[in-house]
Amino acid sequence: MTPTSLTNAPSLDSQTTLRDIINTLPRQCFEKNPFRAWLGVVSSVLAVALGYLALTFAPWYLLPLAWLWTGTALTGWFVIGHDCGHRSFAKKLWVNDLVGHIAFLPLLYPFHCWRIKHDHHHTHTNKMGEDNAWYPFTDAMFLACKNYERLAYRLIRGRFWWLGSILHWMALHFDPQLYAERQRDQVSFSIGVVLSTAVIGLPVLVFFTGWWGVVKFWLLPWLVYHFWMSTFTIVHHTMPDIPFNFPENWHGATAQLTGTVHCDYPQWIEWLCHDINVHIPHHISTAIPFYNLRLAHSSLQQNWGQYLYCTRFSWQLMQSISDRCHIFDPDQCYRTFKEAGLD
């Protein structure tokens, strides 16, 4: 796939609404298919089981491949939970909540905390002051930060982007005070489930496998998962020519359609991660289940193709993001730290 850029792309009519775009999608895109949903669960469970078999029996020199496979397969568990959070996995709310909590457990991710923050991201995609996913700092925001916050921001906006989702996980998902009062019962429940799992599960793992077992069977697959989560999420909305906007200049349909990126990855990654990279239709409607994303993307290409930002995963792509997308600029999207006089 030849990467496309927004630089020469036409602007979406300001009168176009998200509903206008949704109405062009085939009805089949929104149909829940329990067989395909549960087939995704089974495939993810089997993929992770295969990974742990490899970690158990593979010789030491094959462990890096086993960690890569297992962590990527666990990312597929996250995507199942992701659909549960959007209520696109099952028709029954309790099924979504149960499967979502279970899918997030190996990752120690509080389900309701993530669900609520992620819904906010969808409502305010690429909106300065609101979006909580990879929003860029202004130079004033950067200068107002404490030294350790500046260091963390520099790291995740550079070649250590793959730490970004770990910081996001730590900062936003374990403090009930960050949520509205009406949400705190659900939030506290999810935090309690995760902390109980960690308090019981990790010592049990140490008892049976030793500290090396914790590193081998949990920590390293977990880090691989966060590598993919950081990579997927930064690529989803961060490009040198994709703008964030302040609320007065923000347009919902434009942000969701043209501010979201479709990125092709190696097929084995896309399969294990249930097409989470086919991301533009997901921002048009979160009601589209993961197994219908490609159908929806095909429809968007036919009807709105001139507005779509499509690229392919590569080291060069990550370089272009991590070398350029540092500080918010209202005119040219981003400035580097050096251009902003912050080096």
Side-chain angles (χ1 to χ4, degrees):
M1 174 182 290
T2 302
T4 58
S5 167
L6 292 183
T7 304
N8 299 313
S11 298
L12 190 67
D13 191 318
S14 62
Q15 300 303 309
T16 301
T17 66
L18 209 53
R19 177 53 57 185
D20 293 330
I21 303 171
I22 291 171
N23 286 341
T24 67
L25 296 173
R27 279 191 167 191
Q28 302 95 296
C29 295
F30 304 94
E31 293 177 356
K32 293 183 177 71
N33 184 322
F35 175 78
R36 295 187 68 184
W38 287 102
L39 183 63
V41 173
V42 171
S43 68
S44 280
V45 169
L46 291 177
V48 168
L50 177 62
Y52 281 116
L53 279 173
L55 290 175
T56 302
F57 297 109
W60 64 267
Y61 52 85
L62 292 180
L63 286 178
L65 291 177
W67 286 321
L68 176 61
W69 173 274
T70 307
T72 308
L74 283 170
T75 309
W77 284 43
F78 180 90
V79 178
I80 296 295
H82 169 273
D83 266 32
C84 292
H86 287 302
R87 311 319 195 187
S88 60
F89 178 80
K91 293 181 179 179
K92 293 185 181 297
L93 188 63
W94 71 266
V95 175
N96 286 307
D97 285 348
L98 177 62
V99 175
H101 277 90
I102 293 172
F104 277 22
L105 271 187
L107 310 170
L108 298 185
Y109 229 124
F111 174 72
H112 284 307
C113 307
W114 171 84
R115 177 182 63 79
I116 293 165
K117 291 296 183 186
H118 188 65
D119 280 349
H120 192 83
H121 157 67
H122 273 272
T123 304
H124 302 283
T125 300
N126 289 19
K127 184 191 292 184
M128 290 293 289
E130 289 287 352
D131 196 352
N132 56 48
W134 291 105
Y135 64 90
F137 284 7
T138 63
D139 47 4
M141 291 169 63
F142 182 83
L143 291 172
C145 288
K146 298 179 175 65
N147 287 337
Y148 72 87
E149 293 171 331
R150 294 185 192 181
L151 175 60
Y153 185 79
R154 282 183 180 277
L155 287 174
I156 65 173
R157 283 289 171 175
R159 298 302 168 81
F160 290 87
W161 83 85
W162 46 272
L163 295 175
S165 68
I166 298 178
L167 298 182
H168 188 264
W169 168 76
M170 292 170 57
L172 295 182
H173 299 90
F174 290 92
D175 183 1
Q177 299 305 311
L178 297 175
Y179 299 82
E181 188 171 353
R182 59 184 170 79
Q183 300 166 336
R184 288 177 190 168
D185 286 346
Q186 287 186 321
V187 163
S188 297
F189 174 78
S190 291
I191 293 172
V193 168
V194 163
L195 294 181
S196 298
T197 300
V199 167
I200 296 171
L202 292 179
V204 168
L205 191 57
V206 171
F207 180 80
F208 285 104
T209 67
W211 287 105
W212 169 239
V214 175
V215 173
K216 179 180 178 181
F217 292 109
W218 180 75
L219 179 60
L220 287 172
W222 184 79
L223 289 175
V224 171
Y225 152 73
H226 274 292
F227 170 85
W228 287 122
M229 276 302 298
S230 298
T231 301
F232 286 143
T233 53
I234 195 172
V235 169
H236 281 162
H237 302 286
T238 307
M239 290 290 161
D241 52 348
I242 288 184
F244 273 66
N245 287 293
F246 285 104
E248 60 270 21
N249 298 317
W250 185 83
H251 180 241
T254 299
Q256 308 293 7
L257 184 67
T258 72
T260 306
V261 175
H262 172 93
C263 184
D264 286 331
Y265 292 78
Q267 287 188 352
W268 69 275
I269 295 172
E270 295 183 353
W271 180 76
L272 285 175
C273 298
H274 303 297
D275 289 334
I276 192 64
N277 58 297
V278 185
H279 204 60
I280 300 173
H282 177 61
H283 268 266
I284 300 306
S285 174
T286 58
I288 301 172
F290 68 86
Y291 44 81
N292 289 335
L293 289 172
R294 290 194 180 276
L295 173 64
H297 184 73
S298 178
S299 175
L300 290 175
Q301 285 180 311
Q302 292 174 21
N303 295 293
W304 305 89
Q306 60 187 326
Y307 303 107
L308 304 189
Y309 198 119
C310 301
T311 189
R312 183 179 297 277
F313 175 70
S314 66
W315 174 243
Q316 289 72 27
L317 175 70
M318 301 314 298
Q319 275 186 307
S320 71
I321 294 171
S322 59
D323 287 352
R324 178 70 198 168
C325 301
H326 298 163
I327 297 296
F328 171 79
D329 187 279
D331 299 316
Q332 56 184 11
C333 301
Y334 290 95
R335 287 176 292 162
T336 65
F337 290 116
K338 183 176 183 180
E339 290 170 341
L342 298 173
D343 260 356

